[in-house]
Amino acid sequence: MKMLRIISVICLIGALTGCASGASAAEEEEMKFTVTANGTEFSVIPEKNAAVSELQSRLKDGDLKLTLQDYSGFEKVGALGFSLPRSNVQMTTKAGDIVLYNGNQI
């Protein structure tokens, strides 16, 4: 399991995750990320899309550490330092979702 480390308090992270719809338990385990925020680990099952595939490729070289800034008092936003493919679909998010924003921010 690869690690995506995010340094900040997570309330709502303003499009990478959710439950991978239709994925088997084995597929979900293979795709799973671990996010560490302020010392607490969270399991994340990402959507199947080009952005996640690219991110997984980048994580083969090691962890990704981000510093997130507060946005509107309920979201955290941080620059990735690189761009990922965008799919720009409308979605409804809930607390705990991790979302790719503008292709280069989480």
Side-chain angles (χ1 to χ4, degrees):
M1 184 176 351
K2 299 295 178 194
M3 282 202 137
L4 172 64
R5 294 191 184 273
I6 299 178
I7 303 168
S8 185
V9 176
I10 295 181
C11 292
L12 172 69
I13 300 177
L16 278 185
T17 72
C19 292
S21 49
S24 70
E27 289 173 322
E28 286 183 0
E29 185 62 34
E30 183 179 315
M31 294 170 27
K32 193 181 294 183
F33 288 93
T34 298
V35 174
T36 303
N38 290 338
T40 301
E41 289 190 3
F42 302 91
S43 291
V44 176
I45 301 170
E47 291 288 335
K48 290 183 180 181
N49 59 40
V52 171
S53 294
E54 175 68 23
L55 181 59
Q56 287 174 321
S57 292
R58 289 179 176 269
L59 289 172
K60 288 179 183 174
D61 295 330
D63 294 349
L64 174 63
K65 295 181 182 183
L66 303 175
T67 299
L68 305 180
Q69 305 298 318
D70 189 54
Y71 180 79
S72 297
F74 62 94
E75 293 183 12
K76 305 294 180 194
V77 178
L80 288 168
F82 53 85
S83 291
L84 294 172
R86 296 166 31 171
S87 54
N88 296 331
V89 295
Q90 185 173 351
M91 62 176 39
T92 301
T93 60
K94 61 186 180 312
D97 285 349
I98 301 173
V99 182
L100 179 64
Y101 176 70
N102 282 341
N104 62 0
Q105 296 183 57
I106 292 290

Coordinates of all heavy atoms in Angstrom, one line a residue:
M1 N 0.9 -1.2 0.0 CA 0.0 0.0 0.0 C 0.9 1.2 0.0 O 1.8 1.4 0.8 CB -0.9 0.0 1.2 CG -1.9 1.1 1.3 SD -3.1 1.1 2.6 CE -2.9 -0.4 3.5
K2 N 0.7 2.1 -0.9 CA 1.5 3.4 -1.0 C 1.0 4.4 0.0 O -0.2 4.3 0.4 CB 1.4 4.0 -2.5 CG 1.9 3.0 -3.5 CD 3.4 2.8 -3.3 CE 3.9 1.9 -4.4 NZ 5.2 1.4 -4.1
M3 N 1.8 5.3 0.3 CA 1.4 6.4 1.3 C 1.3 7.7 0.6 O 2.2 8.1 -0.1 CB 2.3 6.4 2.4 CG 2.2 5.4 3.4 SD 2.9 6.0 4.9 CE 1.6 5.4 6.0
L4 N 0.3 8.4 0.9 CA 0.2 9.8 0.5 C 0.1 10.6 1.8 O -0.9 10.5 2.5 CB -1.1 10.1 -0.4 CG -1.5 11.5 -0.7 CD1 -0.4 12.1 -1.6 CD2 -2.8 11.5 -1.4
R5 N 1.1 11.3 2.1 CA 1.2 12.0 3.4 C 0.7 13.5 3.2 O 1.2 14.1 2.3 CB 2.6 12.0 4.0 CG 3.0 10.7 4.4 CD 4.3 10.8 5.2 NE 4.8 9.4 5.5 CZ 4.4 8.7 6.5 NH1 3.5 9.2 7.4 NH2 4.9 7.5 6.8
I6 N -0.3 13.9 4.0 CA -0.7 15.2 3.9 C -0.6 15.8 5.3 O -1.1 15.3 6.3 CB -2.2 15.3 3.5 CG1 -2.3 14.7 2.1 CG2 -2.7 16.7 3.5 CD1 -3.7 14.7 1.5
I7 N 0.2 16.9 5.4 CA 0.4 17.5 6.7 C -0.5 18.7 6.9 O -0.4 19.7 6.3 CB 1.9 18.0 6.7 CG1 2.8 16.8 6.5 CG2 2.2 18.7 8.1 CD1 4.2 17.2 6.2
S8 N -1.5 18.5 7.7 CA -2.5 19.5 8.0 C -3.7 18.8 8.8 O -3.7 17.6 8.9 CB -3.1 20.1 6.7 OG -3.9 21.2 7.1
V9 N -4.6 19.6 9.3 CA -5.8 19.0 9.8 C -6.8 18.8 8.7 O -7.0 19.7 7.9 CB -6.4 20.0 10.9 CG1 -7.7 19.4 11.4 CG2 -5.4 20.2 12.0
I10 N -7.4 17.7 8.6 CA -8.4 17.4 7.6 C -9.8 17.6 8.1 O -10.2 16.9 9.0 CB -8.2 16.0 6.9 CG1 -6.9 15.9 6.3 CG2 -9.3 15.8 6.0 CD1 -6.6 14.6 5.6
C11 N -10.6 18.5 7.5 CA -12.0 18.6 7.7 C -12.7 18.1 6.5 O -13.2 17.0 6.5 CB -12.4 20.0 8.0 SG -11.8 20.6 9.6
L12 N -12.6 18.9 5.4 CA -13.0 18.4 4.1 C -11.9 18.8 3.2 O -11.5 20.0 3.2 CB -14.3 19.1 3.7 CG -14.8 18.9 2.3 CD1 -15.3 17.5 2.1 CD2 -15.9 19.9 1.9
I13 N -11.5 17.9 2.4 CA -10.5 18.2 1.4 C -11.2 18.4 0.1 O -11.8 17.4 -0.4 CB -9.4 17.1 1.3 CG1 -8.7 17.0 2.7 CG2 -8.4 17.5 0.3 CD1 -7.7 15.9 2.7
G14 N -11.1 19.6 -0.4 CA -11.7 20.0 -1.5 C -11.1 19.5 -2.8 O -9.9 19.5 -2.8
A15 N -10.8 15.9 -6.2 CA -11.6 14.9 -6.8 C -10.7 13.8 -7.0 O -10.3 13.7 -8.0 CB -12.2 15.5 -8.1
L16 N -10.3 13.2 -5.9 CA -9.6 11.9 -6.2 C -10.3 10.8 -5.6 O -10.1 9.7 -6.1 CB -8.2 12.0 -5.5 CG -7.1 12.7 -6.3 CD1 -5.8 12.5 -5.6 CD2 -7.0 12.1 -7.7
T17 N -11.1 10.9 -4.5 CA -11.5 9.7 -3.8 C -13.0 9.5 -3.6 O -13.8 10.4 -4.0 CB -10.9 9.5 -2.4 OG1 -11.5 10.4 -1.6 CG2 -9.4 9.6 -2.5
G18 N -13.3 8.5 -3.0 CA -14.7 8.1 -2.7 C -14.6 6.6 -2.7 O -13.5 6.1 -2.6
C19 N -15.6 5.9 -2.8 CA -15.6 4.5 -2.9 C -15.5 4.1 -4.4 O -16.2 4.7 -5.2 CB -16.8 3.8 -2.3 SG -16.8 4.0 -0.5
A20 N -14.6 3.2 -4.7 CA -14.4 2.8 -6.1 C -15.6 1.9 -6.5 O -15.7 0.8 -6.1 CB -13.1 2.0 -6.3
S21 N -16.5 2.5 -7.2 CA -17.8 1.8 -7.5 C -17.5 0.6 -8.4 O -16.8 0.6 -9.4 CB -18.8 2.8 -8.2 OG -18.1 3.4 -9.3
G22 N -18.1 -0.5 -8.0 CA -18.0 -1.8 -8.7 C -16.7 -2.5 -8.6 O -16.5 -3.5 -9.2
A23 N -15.8 -2.0 -7.8 CA -14.5 -2.7 -7.7 C -14.6 -3.9 -6.7 O -15.3 -3.8 -5.7 CB -13.4 -1.7 -7.2
S24 N -13.9 -4.9 -7.0 CA -13.9 -6.1 -6.0 C -13.0 -5.7 -4.8 O -12.2 -4.7 -4.9 CB -13.3 -7.3 -6.7 OG -11.9 -7.1 -7.0
A25 N -13.1 -6.5 -3.8 CA -12.3 -6.3 -2.6 C -10.8 -6.3 -2.9 O -10.0 -5.5 -2.4 CB -12.6 -7.3 -1.5
A26 N -10.3 -7.2 -3.8 CA -8.9 -7.3 -4.2 C -8.5 -6.1 -5.0 O -7.4 -5.6 -4.8 CB -8.7 -8.6 -5.0
E27 N -9.4 -5.6 -5.9 CA -9.0 -4.4 -6.6 C -9.0 -3.2 -5.7 O -8.1 -2.4 -5.9 CB -10.1 -4.1 -7.7 CG -10.1 -5.1 -8.9 CD -11.3 -4.9 -9.8 OE1 -12.4 -4.7 -9.3 OE2 -11.1 -5.0 -11.0
E28 N -9.9 -3.1 -4.8 CA -9.8 -2.0 -3.8 C -8.6 -2.0 -3.0 O -8.0 -0.9 -2.8 CB -11.1 -2.0 -2.9 CG -12.3 -1.5 -3.6 CD -13.6 -1.5 -2.7 OE1 -13.4 -1.8 -1.5 OE2 -14.6 -1.2 -3.2
E29 N -8.2 -3.1 -2.5 CA -6.9 -3.2 -1.7 C -5.7 -2.8 -2.6 O -4.8 -2.1 -2.1 CB -6.8 -4.7 -1.2 CG -5.6 -4.8 -0.3 CD -5.7 -4.0 1.0 OE1 -6.8 -3.8 1.5 OE2 -4.6 -3.5 1.5
E30 N -5.7 -3.2 -3.8 CA -4.5 -2.9 -4.7 C -4.5 -1.4 -4.9 O -3.4 -0.8 -5.0 CB -4.7 -3.6 -6.0 CG -3.5 -3.3 -7.0 CD -3.6 -4.1 -8.3 OE1 -4.0 -5.3 -8.2 OE2 -3.4 -3.5 -9.3
M31 N -5.6 -0.7 -5.1 CA -5.7 0.7 -5.4 C -5.5 1.6 -4.1 O -5.3 2.8 -4.2 CB -7.1 1.0 -6.0 CG -7.3 0.4 -7.3 SD -9.0 0.6 -8.0 CE -9.6 2.0 -7.2
K32 N -5.7 1.0 -2.9 CA -5.8 1.8 -1.7 C -4.6 2.7 -1.4 O -3.5 2.3 -1.7 CB -6.0 0.9 -0.5 CG -6.4 1.6 0.7 CD -6.6 0.6 1.9 CE -7.7 -0.3 1.7 NZ -8.0 -1.3 2.8
F33 N -4.8 3.9 -0.9 CA -3.8 4.8 -0.5 C -4.0 4.9 1.1 O -5.0 4.7 1.6 CB -4.1 6.2 -1.0 CG -3.8 6.4 -2.5 CD1 -4.8 6.3 -3.4 CD2 -2.5 6.8 -2.9 CE1 -4.6 6.5 -4.7 CE2 -2.3 7.0 -4.2 CZ -3.3 6.8 -5.1
T34 N -2.9 5.4 1.7 CA -3.0 5.7 3.1 C -2.6 7.2 3.2 O -1.6 7.6 2.6 CB -2.0 4.9 4.0 OG1 -2.4 3.6 3.9 CG2 -2.1 5.4 5.4
V35 N -3.5 8.0 3.8 CA -3.3 9.4 4.0 C -3.0 9.6 5.5 O -3.7 9.1 6.3 CB -4.5 10.2 3.6 CG1 -4.3 11.7 4.0 CG2 -4.8 10.1 2.1
T36 N -1.9 10.3 5.8 CA -1.6 10.6 7.2 C -1.7 12.1 7.4 O -1.1 12.9 6.7 CB -0.1 10.1 7.5 OG1 0.0 8.8 7.2 CG2 0.2 10.4 9.0
A37 N -2.5 12.5 8.3 CA -2.8 13.9 8.6 C -2.6 14.1 10.1 O -3.3 13.5 10.9 CB -4.2 14.3 8.2
N38 N -1.6 14.9 10.5 CA -1.3 15.2 11.9 C -1.1 13.9 12.7 O -1.6 13.8 13.8 CB -2.3 16.0 12.5 CG -2.3 17.5 12.0 OD1 -1.2 17.9 11.5 ND2 -3.4 18.2 12.1
G39 N -0.4 12.9 12.1 CA -0.2 11.6 12.8 C -1.3 10.6 12.8 O -1.1 9.5 13.3
T40 N -2.4 10.9 12.2 CA -3.5 10.0 12.1 C -3.6 9.4 10.7 O -3.6 10.2 9.7 CB -4.8 10.6 12.5 OG1 -4.7 11.1 13.8 CG2 -6.0 9.6 12.4
E41 N -3.6 8.1 10.5 CA -3.7 7.5 9.2 C -5.2 7.2 8.8 O -6.0 6.8 9.7 CB -2.9 6.2 9.2 CG -1.4 6.4 9.2 CD -0.7 5.1 9.0 OE1 -1.3 4.0 8.7 OE2 0.6 5.2 9.0
F42 N -5.5 7.4 7.6 CA -6.8 7.1 7.0 C -6.6 6.3 5.7 O -5.7 6.6 4.9 CB -7.5 8.5 6.6 CG -7.6 9.4 7.7 CD1 -6.7 10.4 8.0 CD2 -8.8 9.4 8.5 CE1 -6.8 11.3 9.0 CE2 -8.9 10.3 9.5 CZ -7.9 11.2 9.8
S43 N -7.4 5.3 5.5 CA -7.4 4.5 4.3 C -8.3 5.2 3.3 O -9.4 5.7 3.6 CB -7.9 3.1 4.5 OG -7.0 2.4 5.3
V44 N -7.8 5.3 2.1 CA -8.5 5.9 1.0 C -8.6 5.0 -0.2 O -7.6 4.4 -0.6 CB -7.8 7.2 0.5 CG1 -8.5 7.9 -0.7 CG2 -7.7 8.2 1.7
I45 N -9.8 4.8 -0.7 CA -10.1 4.0 -1.9 C -10.4 4.9 -3.0 O -11.5 5.5 -3.0 CB -11.2 2.9 -1.7 CG1 -10.8 2.0 -0.5 CG2 -11.4 2.1 -3.0 CD1 -12.0 1.1 -0.1
P46 N -9.5 5.1 -3.9 CA -9.7 6.1 -5.0 C -10.6 5.7 -6.1 O -10.8 4.5 -6.3 CB -8.3 6.3 -5.5 CG -7.6 5.0 -5.3 CD -8.2 4.5 -4.0
E47 N -11.1 6.6 -6.8 CA -11.9 6.4 -8.0 C -10.9 5.8 -9.1 O -9.7 6.0 -9.0 CB -12.5 7.7 -8.6 CG -13.6 8.2 -7.7 CD -14.9 7.4 -7.8 OE1 -15.1 6.7 -8.7 OE2 -15.6 7.4 -6.8
K48 N -11.5 5.1 -10.1 CA -10.6 4.7 -11.2 C -10.7 5.7 -12.3 O -11.7 5.9 -12.9 CB -11.2 3.4 -11.7 CG -11.0 2.2 -10.8 CD -11.5 0.9 -11.5 CE -11.4 -0.3 -10.6 NZ -11.9 -1.5 -11.3
N49 N -9.6 6.5 -12.4 CA -9.6 7.5 -13.5 C -8.1 7.8 -13.8 O -7.2 7.4 -13.1 CB -10.4 8.8 -13.1 CG -9.9 9.4 -11.8 OD1 -8.7 9.5 -11.6 ND2 -10.8 9.9 -11.0
A50 N -7.9 8.6 -14.8 CA -6.5 9.0 -15.3 C -5.7 9.7 -14.2 O -4.5 9.5 -14.1 CB -6.6 9.8 -16.5
A51 N -6.4 10.6 -13.4 CA -5.7 11.3 -12.4 C -5.1 10.4 -11.3 O -3.9 10.5 -10.9 CB -6.6 12.4 -11.7
V52 N -5.9 9.4 -10.9 CA -5.5 8.5 -9.9 C -4.3 7.6 -10.4 O -3.3 7.3 -9.7 CB -6.6 7.6 -9.4 CG1 -6.2 6.5 -8.5 CG2 -7.6 8.5 -8.6
S53 N -4.5 7.1 -11.7 CA -3.4 6.3 -12.3 C -2.1 7.1 -12.3 O -1.0 6.5 -12.0 CB -3.8 5.9 -13.7 OG -4.9 5.0 -13.7
E54 N -2.1 8.3 -12.7 CA -0.9 9.1 -12.8 C -0.4 9.3 -11.4 O 0.9 9.2 -11.2 CB -1.2 10.5 -13.4 CG 0.0 11.4 -13.4 CD 1.1 11.0 -14.3 OE1 0.9 10.3 -15.3 OE2 2.2 11.5 -14.1
L55 N -1.2 9.6 -10.4 CA -0.7 9.8 -9.0 C -0.1 8.5 -8.5 O 1.0 8.5 -7.9 CB -1.9 10.2 -8.1 CG -1.5 10.5 -6.7 CD1 -0.5 11.6 -6.6 CD2 -2.8 10.9 -5.9
Q56 N -0.7 7.4 -8.8 CA -0.1 6.1 -8.3 C 1.2 5.9 -8.9 O 2.2 5.4 -8.3 CB -1.1 4.9 -8.6 CG -2.3 4.9 -7.8 CD -3.3 3.8 -8.2 OE1 -3.5 3.6 -9.3 NE2 -3.9 3.2 -7.2
S57 N 1.4 6.2 -10.2 CA 2.7 6.1 -10.8 C 3.8 7.0 -10.2 O 4.9 6.6 -9.9 CB 2.6 6.5 -12.3 OG 1.9 5.6 -13.0
R58 N 3.4 8.2 -9.8 CA 4.3 9.1 -9.1 C 4.6 8.6 -7.7 O 5.7 8.9 -7.2 CB 3.7 10.5 -9.1 CG 3.7 11.2 -10.4 CD 3.1 12.6 -10.3 NE 3.1 13.3 -11.6 CZ 4.1 14.1 -12.0 NH1 5.1 14.3 -11.1 NH2 4.1 14.7 -13.1
L59 N 3.7 8.0 -7.1 CA 4.0 7.5 -5.7 C 4.9 6.3 -5.7 O 5.4 5.9 -4.6 CB 2.7 7.1 -5.0 CG 1.8 8.3 -4.6 CD1 0.4 7.8 -4.1 CD2 2.5 9.2 -3.6
K60 N 5.2 5.7 -6.8 CA 6.2 4.6 -6.9 C 7.5 5.0 -6.5 O 8.4 4.3 -6.0 CB 6.2 3.9 -8.3 CG 4.9 3.1 -8.6 CD 4.9 2.6 -10.0 CE 3.6 1.8 -10.2 NZ 3.5 1.4 -11.6
D61 N 7.8 6.3 -6.7 CA 9.1 6.9 -6.3 C 9.2 7.3 -4.9 O 10.2 7.8 -4.4 CB 9.4 8.1 -7.2 CG 9.6 7.8 -8.7 OD1 10.0 6.6 -8.9 OD2 9.2 8.6 -9.5
G62 N 8.1 7.2 -4.1 CA 8.1 7.6 -2.7 C 6.8 8.4 -2.3 O 6.0 8.7 -3.2
D63 N 6.8 8.7 -1.1 CA 5.6 9.4 -0.5 C 5.5 10.8 -1.1 O 6.5 11.4 -1.5 CB 5.7 9.5 1.0 CG 5.6 8.2 1.7 OD1 5.3 7.2 1.1 OD2 5.9 8.2 2.9
L64 N 4.3 11.4 -1.1 CA 4.1 12.7 -1.4 C 3.7 13.5 -0.2 O 2.8 13.1 0.5 CB 2.9 12.8 -2.5 CG 2.4 14.1 -2.9 CD1 3.5 14.9 -3.6 CD2 1.2 14.0 -3.8
K65 N 4.4 14.6 0.1 CA 4.1 15.3 1.3 C 3.5 16.7 0.9 O 4.2 17.4 0.1 CB 5.3 15.5 2.2 CG 5.8 14.2 2.7 CD 7.0 14.4 3.6 CE 7.4 13.0 4.1 NZ 8.6 13.1 5.0
L66 N 2.4 17.0 1.4 CA 1.7 18.3 1.1 C 1.4 19.1 2.3 O 1.1 18.5 3.4 CB 0.4 18.1 0.3 CG 0.4 17.2 -0.9 CD1 -1.0 17.0 -1.4 CD2 1.2 17.9 -2.0
T67 N 1.5 20.4 2.2 CA 1.0 21.3 3.3 C -0.2 21.9 2.8 O -0.2 22.5 1.7 CB 2.1 22.3 3.6 OG1 3.3 21.7 4.1 CG2 1.6 23.2 4.7
L68 N -1.3 21.7 3.5 CA -2.6 22.3 3.1 C -3.0 23.5 3.9 O -2.6 23.6 5.1 CB -3.7 21.2 3.3 CG -3.5 19.8 2.7 CD1 -4.6 18.9 2.9 CD2 -3.2 20.0 1.2
Q69 N -3.6 24.4 3.2 CA -4.1 25.7 3.8 C -5.6 25.6 4.0 O -6.3 25.1 3.2 CB -3.7 26.9 2.9 CG -2.2 26.9 2.6 CD -1.3 27.1 3.8 OE1 -1.7 27.9 4.7 NE2 -0.2 26.4 3.8
D70 N -6.1 26.3 5.0 CA -7.5 26.4 5.3 C -8.2 27.2 4.2 O -7.6 28.2 3.7 CB -7.7 27.1 6.6 CG -9.2 27.0 7.0 OD1 -9.7 25.9 7.1 OD2 -9.8 28.0 7.3
Y71 N -9.3 26.7 3.8 CA -10.1 27.4 2.7 C -11.6 27.5 3.2 O -12.2 26.4 3.4 CB -10.0 26.7 1.4 CG -10.8 27.3 0.3 CD1 -10.3 28.5 -0.4 CD2 -12.0 26.8 -0.1 CE1 -11.0 29.0 -1.4 CE2 -12.7 27.4 -1.2 CZ -12.2 28.5 -1.8 OH -12.9 29.1 -2.8
S72 N -12.1 28.6 3.4 CA -13.5 28.8 3.8 C -13.9 28.2 5.1 O -15.0 27.9 5.4 CB -14.4 28.4 2.7 OG -14.3 29.1 1.6
G73 N -12.9 27.8 6.0 CA -13.2 27.3 7.3 C -13.6 25.8 7.3 O -13.9 25.3 8.4
F74 N -13.7 25.2 6.2 CA -14.1 23.8 6.2 C -13.4 22.9 5.1 O -13.6 21.7 5.1 CB -15.6 23.6 6.0 CG -16.2 24.1 4.7 CD1 -16.4 23.3 3.7 CD2 -16.5 25.5 4.6 CE1 -16.9 23.8 2.5 CE2 -17.0 26.0 3.4 CZ -17.2 25.1 2.3
E75 N -12.6 23.5 4.3 CA -11.8 22.7 3.3 C -10.3 23.0 3.5 O -10.0 24.1 4.1 CB -12.2 23.1 1.9 CG -13.6 22.8 1.5 CD -13.9 23.1 0.1 OE1 -13.0 23.4 -0.7 OE2 -15.1 23.1 -0.3
K76 N -9.5 22.1 3.1 CA -8.1 22.3 3.1 C -7.6 22.1 1.6 O -8.0 21.2 0.9 CB -7.4 21.3 3.9 CG -7.9 21.2 5.4 CD -7.5 22.5 6.1 CE -8.0 22.4 7.5 NZ -8.0 23.7 8.2
V77 N -6.7 23.0 1.2 CA -6.2 23.0 -0.2 C -4.7 23.1 -0.2 O -4.1 23.9 0.6 CB -6.8 24.2 -1.0 CG1 -6.3 24.2 -2.4 CG2 -8.3 24.1 -1.0
G78 N -4.1 22.3 -1.1 CA -2.6 22.4 -1.2 C -2.2 22.1 -2.6 O -2.8 21.2 -3.3
A79 N -1.1 22.7 -3.1 CA -0.6 22.5 -4.4 C 0.2 21.2 -4.4 O 0.9 20.9 -3.5 CB 0.3 23.7 -4.8
L80 N 0.0 20.4 -5.5 CA 0.7 19.2 -5.7 C 2.2 19.4 -6.1 O 3.0 18.6 -5.9 CB 0.0 18.3 -6.7 CG -1.3 17.7 -6.3 CD1 -2.0 17.1 -7.6 CD2 -1.1 16.6 -5.3
G81 N 2.4 20.5 -6.9 CA 3.7 20.7 -7.5 C 3.8 20.1 -8.9 O 4.9 20.2 -9.5
F82 N 2.8 19.6 -9.4 CA 2.7 19.0 -10.7 C 1.2 18.9 -11.1 O 0.3 19.1 -10.2 CB 3.3 17.6 -10.8 CG 2.9 16.6 -9.8 CD1 1.7 15.9 -10.0 CD2 3.5 16.5 -8.6 CE1 1.3 15.0 -9.0 CE2 3.1 15.6 -7.6 CZ 2.0 14.8 -7.8
S83 N 0.9 18.7 -12.3 CA -0.5 18.5 -12.8 C -0.9 17.1 -13.0 O 0.0 16.3 -13.5 CB -0.7 19.4 -14.0 OG -0.6 20.7 -13.8
L84 N -2.1 16.8 -12.8 CA -2.7 15.5 -13.1 C -3.8 15.7 -14.1 O -4.4 16.8 -14.3 CB -3.3 14.9 -11.8 CG -2.3 14.5 -10.7 CD1 -3.0 14.1 -9.5 CD2 -1.4 13.4 -11.2
P85 N -4.1 14.6 -14.9 CA -5.2 14.7 -15.9 C -6.5 15.1 -15.2 O -6.8 14.6 -14.1 CB -5.2 13.3 -16.5 CG -3.9 12.6 -16.2 CD -3.5 13.3 -14.9
R86 N -7.3 15.9 -15.8 CA -8.5 16.4 -15.3 C -9.7 15.7 -16.0 O -9.6 15.5 -17.2 CB -8.7 17.9 -15.4 CG -7.6 18.6 -14.6 CD -7.4 20.0 -14.9 NE -8.6 20.8 -15.3 CZ -8.6 22.1 -15.5 NH1 -7.5 22.8 -15.1 NH2 -9.6 22.7 -15.9
S87 N -10.7 15.3 -15.3 CA -11.9 14.8 -15.9 C -13.1 15.7 -15.8 O -14.1 15.5 -16.5 CB -12.2 13.4 -15.4 OG -12.4 13.4 -14.0
N88 N -13.1 16.7 -14.9 CA -14.1 17.7 -14.8 C -15.5 17.2 -14.8 O -16.3 17.5 -15.7 CB -13.9 18.8 -15.9 CG -12.6 19.5 -15.7 OD1 -12.1 19.7 -14.5 ND2 -12.0 20.0 -16.7
V89 N -15.9 16.4 -13.9 CA -17.2 15.9 -13.7 C -17.9 16.5 -12.5 O -17.2 16.8 -11.5 CB -17.3 14.4 -13.6 CG1 -16.8 13.7 -14.9 CG2 -16.5 13.9 -12.4
Q90 N -19.2 16.8 -12.6 CA -19.9 17.3 -11.5 C -20.1 16.2 -10.4 O -20.4 15.1 -10.8 CB -21.3 17.9 -11.9 CG -22.0 18.6 -10.8 CD -23.3 19.2 -11.3 OE1 -23.5 19.3 -12.5 NE2 -24.1 19.7 -10.3
M91 N -19.9 16.6 -9.2 CA -20.0 15.6 -8.1 C -20.5 16.3 -6.9 O -20.4 17.5 -6.7 CB -18.7 14.9 -7.9 CG -17.6 15.8 -7.4 SD -16.0 15.1 -7.0 CE -15.8 13.8 -8.1
T92 N -21.0 15.5 -6.0 CA -21.4 15.9 -4.7 C -20.4 15.4 -3.7 O -20.2 14.2 -3.7 CB -22.8 15.5 -4.3 OG1 -23.8 16.0 -5.3 CG2 -23.2 16.0 -2.9
T93 N -19.7 16.2 -2.9 CA -18.7 15.8 -2.0 C -19.3 15.8 -0.6 O -20.3 16.4 -0.3 CB -17.5 16.7 -2.1 OG1 -17.8 18.0 -1.7 CG2 -16.8 16.6 -3.4
K94 N -18.6 15.1 0.3 CA -18.9 15.0 1.7 C -17.7 15.1 2.5 O -16.6 14.9 1.9 CB -19.8 13.8 2.0 CG -19.0 12.5 1.8 CD -20.0 11.3 2.0 CE -19.3 10.0 1.8 NZ -18.5 9.8 0.6
A95 N -17.8 15.4 3.7 CA -16.6 15.5 4.6 C -15.7 14.3 4.5 O -16.2 13.1 4.5 CB -17.0 15.7 6.1
G96 N -14.4 14.5 4.3 CA -13.5 13.4 4.1 C -13.1 13.1 2.7 O -12.1 12.4 2.4
D97 N -13.9 13.6 1.7 CA -13.5 13.3 0.3 C -12.3 14.1 0.0 O -12.0 15.2 0.4 CB -14.6 13.8 -0.6 CG -15.8 12.9 -0.6 OD1 -15.7 11.7 -0.1 OD2 -16.9 13.2 -1.2
I98 N -11.4 13.5 -0.9 CA -10.2 14.2 -1.4 C -10.5 14.4 -2.9 O -10.8 13.5 -3.6 CB -9.0 13.3 -1.2 CG1 -8.8 13.0 0.3 CG2 -7.8 14.0 -1.8 CD1 -7.7 11.9 0.5
V99 N -10.3 15.7 -3.3 CA -10.7 16.1 -4.6 C -9.5 16.8 -5.3 O -8.8 17.6 -4.8 CB -11.9 17.0 -4.5 CG1 -12.4 17.5 -5.9 CG2 -13.0 16.4 -3.7
L100 N -9.3 16.4 -6.6 CA -8.4 17.1 -7.4 C -9.0 18.4 -7.9 O -10.1 18.4 -8.4 CB -8.0 16.2 -8.6 CG -7.0 16.9 -9.6 CD1 -5.7 17.1 -9.0 CD2 -6.9 16.0 -10.8
Y101 N -8.3 19.5 -7.7 CA -8.9 20.8 -8.1 C -7.9 21.5 -9.1 O -6.7 21.6 -8.8 CB -9.0 21.7 -6.8 CG -9.5 23.1 -7.0 CD1 -10.8 23.4 -7.4 CD2 -8.6 24.1 -6.8 CE1 -11.2 24.7 -7.6 CE2 -9.0 25.4 -7.0 CZ -10.3 25.7 -7.4 OH -10.7 27.0 -7.6
N102 N -8.5 22.0 -10.2 CA -7.7 22.6 -11.3 C -6.5 21.8 -11.8 O -5.6 22.3 -12.3 CB -7.1 24.0 -10.8 CG -8.2 25.0 -10.8 OD1 -9.2 24.9 -11.5 ND2 -8.0 26.1 -10.1
G103 N -6.6 20.5 -11.5 CA -5.6 19.6 -12.1 C -4.3 19.6 -11.3 O -3.4 18.7 -11.5
N104 N -4.1 20.5 -10.4 CA -2.8 20.6 -9.7 C -2.9 20.9 -8.2 O -1.9 21.2 -7.5 CB -1.9 21.7 -10.3 CG -2.5 23.1 -10.3 OD1 -3.6 23.3 -9.7 ND2 -1.8 24.0 -10.8
Q105 N -4.1 20.8 -7.6 CA -4.2 21.0 -6.2 C -5.1 19.9 -5.6 O -6.0 19.4 -6.3 CB -4.9 22.4 -5.9 CG -4.0 23.5 -6.4 CD -4.7 24.9 -6.0 OE1 -5.0 25.1 -4.9 NE2 -4.9 25.7 -7.0
I106 N -4.9 19.6 -4.4 CA -5.7 18.7 -3.6 C -6.5 19.5 -2.6 O -6.1 20.4 -2.0 CB -4.9 17.7 -2.9 CG1 -4.1 16.7 -3.8 CG2 -5.7 16.9 -1.9 CD1 -5.0 15.8 -4.5

